Amino acid sequence: EVQLVESGGGLVQPGGSLRLSCAASGFSFSIHWMSWVRQAPGKGLEWVATIKQDGSEKYHVNSVKGRFTISRDNAKNSLYLQMNSLRVEDTAVYYCAKNPPGDYLDCWGQGTLVTVAS
Amino acid sequence: DVVMTQSPLSLPVTLGQPASISCRSSQSLVYSDGNTYLNWFQQRPGQSPRRLIYKVSNWDSGVPDRFSGSGSGTDFTLKISRVEAEDVGVYYCMQGTHWPHTFGQGTKLEIK
């Protein structure tokens, strides 16, 4: 069974940093592109970032470029999102999602809440 | 960025009746490989999103066949042939053809 378990969320002040993790199991992590998607409270879904199997290609939404970085460790079956210079508008539940070959977002984790507030 | 526009944003439906959600993109979603990366997601209250349909019209595993997807180019539709109580939630379309990937605003389906 595919499992994606996010962790690392919490309360942080504006300008602060957090590192989110996603532990993957039940599938061959190293052969799948992986993504982060977020959802602000009461709002819709927003794609944040995607990374290729070997980490050689990374894509980030414009609003987080230069502040957030997606990365992965295939030896640990783990996906990460390093978030720096956090803003109030980054407050959201962050979901980790798996991308099947040739497509996107077929399995999602339960999400981890990031709250940016003073 | 490609803008995804869904309508309606609110959809009250009687149990057993059909429902339809439209999704329009600001650019063609046909990729250079010939595929159209348009997906539909369901998010039930308090749950993570779940993919229902990929590449316009393909069912994900376990998705009831009362759900169907259609469309081409910039115009897409999700249809539910007979709405059941478990279908309550918010439905999103998403394009994966162009970076950045973008979602529609969401359509909230409720039972009348």
Side-chain angles (χ1 to χ4, degrees):
Chain A
E1 180 196 359
V2 172
Q3 279 206 314
L4 298 167
V5 180
E6 301 93 335
S7 60
L11 174 63
V12 62
Q13 291 188 337
S17 299
L18 274 180
R19 188 196 196 206
L20 304 185
S21 299
C22 171
S25 61
F27 66 101
S28 297
F29 179 76
S30 63
I31 68 170
H32 290 273
W33 290 61
M34 297 293 295
S35 295
W36 288 99
V37 178
R38 68 183 178 182
Q39 185 170 37
K43 302 297 184 183
L45 301 172
E46 180 183 34
W47 170 81
V48 175
T50 295
I51 186 169
K52 194 178 178 180
Q53 297 97 324
D54 61 0
S56 62
E57 290 182 40
K58 302 178 184 182
Y59 301 88
H60 298 80
V61 68
N62 287 342
S63 59
V64 309
K65 277 181 185 175
R67 302 188 300 122
F68 291 11
T69 303
I70 189 172
S71 64
R72 65 192 295 162
D73 185 336
N74 288 341
K76 295 182 177 179
N77 288 344
S78 292
L79 177 72
Y80 306 103
L81 186 67
Q82 178 65 45
M83 304 188 296
N84 299 330
S85 303
L86 281 160
R87 304 168 180 168
V88 170
E89 56 265 33
D90 295 319
T91 295
V93 173
Y94 285 73
Y95 295 101
C96 161
K98 165 181 161 288
N99 299 299
D103 212 295
Y104 301 99
L105 308 179
D106 68 338
C107 292
W108 298 57
Q110 87 289 347
T112 187
L113 176 63
V114 172
T115 303
V116 185
S118 52
Chain B
D1 298 359
V2 176
V3 177
M4 304 297 288
T5 304
Q6 289 183 227
S7 62
L9 299 184
S10 178
L11 185 55
V13 184
T14 301
L15 285 173
Q17 292 302 301
S20 180
I21 300 170
S22 169
C23 175
R24 291 197 166 101
S25 59
S26 60
Q27 299 177 35
S28 172
L29 299 186
V30 180
Y31 189 55
S32 54
D33 64 3
N35 288 311
T36 300
Y37 294 96
L38 186 285
N39 296 341
W40 288 97
F41 297 86
Q42 174 194 61
Q43 188 174 30
R44 290 171 171 153
Q47 295 188 13
S48 299
R50 165 200 184 196
R51 198 176 72 172
L52 299 176
I53 301 284
Y54 64 97
K55 291 179 194 170
V56 181
S57 59
N58 297 278
W59 285 284
D60 271 286
S61 176
V63 173
D65 60 7
R66 64 178 182 276
F67 289 92
S68 64
S70 63
S72 63
T74 61
D75 205 344
F76 305 92
T77 303
L78 176 70
K79 290 183 179 176
I80 309 174
S81 59
R82 294 172 307 278
V83 170
E84 299 188 4
E86 65 178 18
D87 299 336
V88 165
V90 182
Y91 292 81
Y92 298 91
C93 61
M94 186 217 84
Q95 66 84 18
T97 297
H98 304 281
W99 298 104
H101 296 171
T102 45
F103 287 89
Q105 318 97 300
T107 294
K108 186 173 185 178
L109 186 149
E110 62 179 24
I111 305 300
K112 256 192 228 178

